[in-house]
Amino acid sequence: MDSRREFIKKMGNGAVFSAVALATPLGHAHMPRPIYGGAGEDAKPIRIGIIGAENSHTAAFGKLFNIDKAFPGVSVKYVWGETEAFAKKAMEKGKIPNSVKDPREMLGEIDALIVDHRHGKFHLPAARPFIEAGIPTFIDKPFCYRLDQGKEFLALARKLGTPVTSYSAIAHSHATFEMKRELEKMGTIGQVVRYGPLDMHSKYGGVFFYGAHLIQPLMYIFGDDVERVRINKNGENSGANLVFCNGMMASLVFTTKKYGWHTYVETDSGIVELGSEIKESVPGKGEVDMVAMFRTGKEPRSHTSILKGVAVMEALEKSVVSESWEKVTPVD
């Protein structure tokens, strides 16, 4: 798998994907007390710990913070790997100086946490001791594997005043917001079709593994209120439908031949492929907003938006089995 940065660059150069962010899903869940000073030269240094090293993302984070020094004063100091080999590889590629045998060994040694397992079922148990200690936490996609567990976790984070966020790097980019501005000029949108990779039977959580990259951009652009979903199985040529509460339907095509995302919308002028010519900067918007949250406690995405995304993927997972329409569990 490409590194996180190569991954985002590939999206930008790949020409086109739909990821249009509305103000509502990016509203702040709550505004905890500031944790650090400002982002200038006088800002307090931030020591990051990462749980999970199987993903190439971990080494990419190490490169961004430790080698490229994209954020002066911010560095990855610790990593815990699912195996010693995973941890060693991330340390070498990302110049991460320390590894731990138990993630809790990082408590008291770090100022911020990134959780980056490949399977979302491991995310919340790993992060819980750290939010209980008041450590601001970024959880890579998918946020979690079960909606009820996500609700309980975020309720605890809110109660404790610990900032937490999670998002797809594809959706949370500068290109996303450029496409949002372009879409506003297109008038009424009819049908929507989005193409992208998704393995319904992935050992890393089925639809949850890549589902956020397909689902989250659509929910950013059209709102979080998806009413029901259905998986359409036809071997490798499979897909899904999402029906929003306003009656609009989006069709998903699960690609298998080429890596990348494309989105087409029906407008009064015809079928238009959404895209952006903006080249994602380094660091990208996702990293900038994550570090800003570590410093200020300001969450870039609402808890409700995070949970609604999980609810949609949970409904898709049910439909993989039933092959029927499944209602999305309300979050509000």
Side-chain angles (χ1 to χ4, degrees), residues 178-195:
E178 172 64 18
M179 285 189 286
K180 166 68 166 78
R181 289 188 287 270
E182 290 301 314
L183 193 77
E184 290 172 348
K185 304 173 185 176
M186 294 183 184
T188 304
I189 301 299
Q191 296 290 327
V192 179
V193 179
R194 180 163 170 78
Y195 294 78

Side-chain angles (χ1 to χ4, degrees), residues 9-87:
K9 182 179 179 182
K10 182 176 290 186
M11 290 187 308
N13 295 340
V16 227
F17 60 96
S18 121
V20 183
L22 296 179
T24 301
L26 295 181
H28 309 310
H30 64 297
M31 200 72 68
R33 64 190 184 283
I35 300 178
Y36 304 106
E41 293 182 359
D42 296 331
K44 180 180 177 181
I46 297 178
R47 303 163 299 168
I48 297 174
I50 302 180
I51 298 176
E54 186 176 6
N55 267 330
S56 60
H57 300 171
T58 300
F61 278 128
K63 181 178 184 299
L64 181 75
F65 292 114
N66 297 351
I67 299 173
D68 299 340
K69 300 187 184 303
F71 298 89
V74 182
S75 59
V76 179
K77 293 295 189 183
Y78 291 86
V79 64
W80 174 87
E82 295 85 346
T83 68
E84 185 176 346
F86 288 153

Side-chain angles (χ1 to χ4, degrees), residues 47-49 51 78 100 102-113 125-137:
R47 303 163 299 168
I48 297 174
I51 298 176
Y78 291 86
V100 294
D102 185 325
R104 289 171 292 184
E105 293 175 35
M106 294 189 286
L107 288 167
E109 303 295 334
I110 63 172
D111 307 298
L113 178 71
R128 187 178 182 111
F130 294 86
I131 69 161
E132 291 176 341
I135 303 295
T137 298

